[in-house]
Amino acid sequence: MSENAWTRWPSREALGRAGTTRPRRLLAWAVRVLVIGLLLWGAYNQKHAGVWTGLAAAAGVIAVGFLAWGFFRTTYQHRLVPSLLLLAALMGLAVAAEASGFTALALVVWCGCGITALERLPLAAATPVTSAGLAAYSAFNHDVWLTTAASVTGMALAGYVMRLDAEARGNAQRLLDQERAARAAEAQSAALGERARIAREIHDVLAHSLSAQLVHLEAARLLIETGADRERILERVVAARGMARDGLAETRQALSALRGELTPLEDFLGELVSGAEGAAVTVTGEPRPLPAEASQAVRRVAQEALTNVRKHAQGAKVDLRLDYSEHQVTLNVRDSGGRPGDLTGSGGGYGLLGMRERAELLGGSLDAGPAEEGFVVTLKVPV
C-alpha cells in the first residue's frame, strides 16, 4: 500500500451522511440507542452499584456520547490532533470505567474506539489507535484466548470493511454530484443556446423588415424633397406599409419556428417570391423536413438575398434553387442584374456577414459575390 494511502483521510463524502438511505440512518441510531440503553441498564443493575454509583455511570455514558459526537465532527473536518485527543479522552474514560468496576462500558468504548478509528482516520494514525483499543479489550476481556482472538480479528476486519464501504459510498456520491453538475451545466448551456437562437431570430426579423421599410421610406423622403408627383410618393409609402405587414407575418413565423411549428420550406419560398416580379423557385432532390435551425437559416438567407436584390438590382430576374442532397441542403439565389435602387447604401440590415455567421454556426458555408451576370448567393447547410 502506498504512502499516500496511509496518510490520506477518507473523503468528506465517505465521512458524511450524504448518500446514506433513511432506513440505514434509522438503523444506525437504533443500534446506538440500544447500546446506550444496555450500558445504563448494566450500570444500574450491578450488585455493588448504589444510586450515586449508577448516576456516575450514567454521566460516564453521556460523556462518552458527547466525546464520540465530537470525534465524528473533527474527523469530518479532517482535523487529526483534536480527533486523537478525543480518542485519548474516550480511552481514559474506559480505563476509569474499568477501575470502577464497569467492565462492560469499558470494553464497549475500547472496541468502539478501535473500529471507528479504523473507519474514519488515516491508516497511519488509525493503526496504533486500533491496536491500543483492541489490546485493552483483549487484556480485560474474560473470555478464553481463542474467542478473544477471533473477536479482535473480526472487529479489525469489520472496521476496515466499514471504511471500504464508506469510501465506496463517498465515491458514488462524488460521481452523483459530478453528474448533477454536468447536467446543470448542460441545462445552462442549452438555455444560453436557446436565448442566442431567439436573439438571432428577433434580430433577423427586425433587420430584414426594418431595412426594407427604411429603403422605401427614405425613397419617399427623397421624392418629397425633389417635388415628385403624389402617385410616386404614395407608391413608396404603400410599399413601406406592405413591408411592415410582411414584417408582422415574419415575426409570427419566427415565433412559430421557436415553437417548432414551421411551415414546409418549399411553401415558404413560394410565398416569399409570390409578390416579387420575375422571381421563381426551383426545388431539386427529395424534399424532407429539416432541423429547425437549418430551416431557419435557409429562410433568412433567402429573405436577405431578395431584399438585397430589391435594393441593389431593381428589375432583375431572380432564380431561387433549393437542392436536397443526402447530407446537406443547398440554396442558390441568382439575379440577372439590374439598376441600383434609389438608396443603394441605405439600411445595413442583417447583411452577408450575418448570413455567413448563421451558416458557420451550423457547420455550413455561405458564398456570395458577383457572377458573369448579376449576383449569386450560395448557402450550404449540413443536415
Side-chain angles (χ1 to χ4, degrees), residues 35-350:
V35 170
I36 292 174
L38 290 175
L39 291 175
L40 290 174
W41 180 263
Y44 277 109
N45 284 275
Q46 287 190 9
K47 295 180 179 180
H48 63 279
V51 175
W52 293 108
T53 305
L55 291 176
V61 171
I62 295 173
V64 168
F66 275 108
L67 290 173
W69 176 82
F71 173 74
F72 275 73
R73 296 295 301 173
T74 55
T75 52
Y76 180 77
Q77 298 166 359
H78 290 177
R79 298 167 60 192
L80 183 59
V81 174
S83 300
L84 293 177
L85 291 176
L86 287 169
L87 283 177
L90 284 168
M91 289 190 174
L93 281 177
V95 171
E98 173 63 30
S100 302
F102 298 103
T103 303
L105 175 60
L107 295 178
V108 169
V109 172
W110 280 323
C111 293
C113 288
I115 293 173
T116 55
L118 200 58
E119 178 188 4
R120 301 182 67 86
L121 288 176
L123 289 177
T127 301
V129 173
T130 300
S131 300
L134 296 183
Y137 169 84
S138 302
F140 292 96
N141 187 32
H142 301 302
D143 290 335
V144 297
W145 70 270
L146 187 59
T147 303
T148 301
S151 300
V152 168
T153 303
M155 285 186 287
L157 289 175
Y160 191 67
V161 168
M162 291 172 64
R163 180 191 187 93
L164 295 179
D165 177 69
E167 283 287 10
R169 177 172 52 82
N171 291 335
Q173 185 63 32
R174 281 199 301 274
L175 290 175
L176 180 60
D177 292 341
Q178 291 172 4
E179 183 181 357
R180 288 172 177 169
R183 288 181 179 178
E186 183 179 355
Q188 184 178 12
S189 177
L192 292 175
E194 185 64 16
R195 290 176 187 174
R197 178 188 170 193
I198 293 172
R200 285 197 303 272
E201 294 304 323
I202 293 175
H203 174 268
D204 290 358
V205 169
L206 292 178
H208 170 73
S209 175
L210 295 180
S211 174
Q213 292 177 57
L214 180 61
V215 170
H216 291 289
L217 292 176
E218 193 67 13
R221 183 184 67 81
L222 287 179
L223 290 173
I224 293 173
E225 290 179 353
T226 56
D229 56 39
R230 182 175 179 275
E231 287 74 13
R232 292 182 61 190
I233 298 172
L234 182 61
E235 178 184 352
R236 291 294 185 175
V237 173
V238 170
R241 185 187 65 179
M243 290 298 175
R245 184 171 57 248
D246 293 342
L248 267 177
E250 291 173 13
T251 302
R252 294 190 184 98
Q253 290 175 358
L255 292 175
S256 296
L258 292 174
R259 299 188 190 103
E261 303 168 357
L262 287 171
T263 58
L265 185 55
E266 301 77 28
D267 296 345
F268 173 83
L269 295 179
E271 294 175 0
L272 187 64
V273 302
S274 61
E277 185 177 352
V281 176
T282 303
V283 179
T284 59
E286 184 65 28
R288 62 183 184 274
L290 301 179
E293 282 287 289
S295 178
Q296 283 297 92
V298 175
R299 294 164 195 256
R300 295 301 172 223
V301 169
Q303 287 177 324
E304 185 65 26
L306 288 180
T307 299
N308 286 340
V309 170
R310 286 194 294 264
K311 289 167 58 178
H312 303 290
Q314 288 188 3
K317 294 182 178 180
V318 184
D319 181 26
L320 279 79
R321 291 183 179 272
L322 181 64
D323 175 62
Y324 290 95
S325 60
E326 184 177 358
H327 300 296
Q328 74 176 14
V329 62
T330 303
L331 175 70
N332 184 276
V333 184
R334 179 186 296 268
D335 67 74
S336 61
R339 63 181 179 83
D342 294 330
L343 288 173
T344 300
S346 68
Y350 185 45

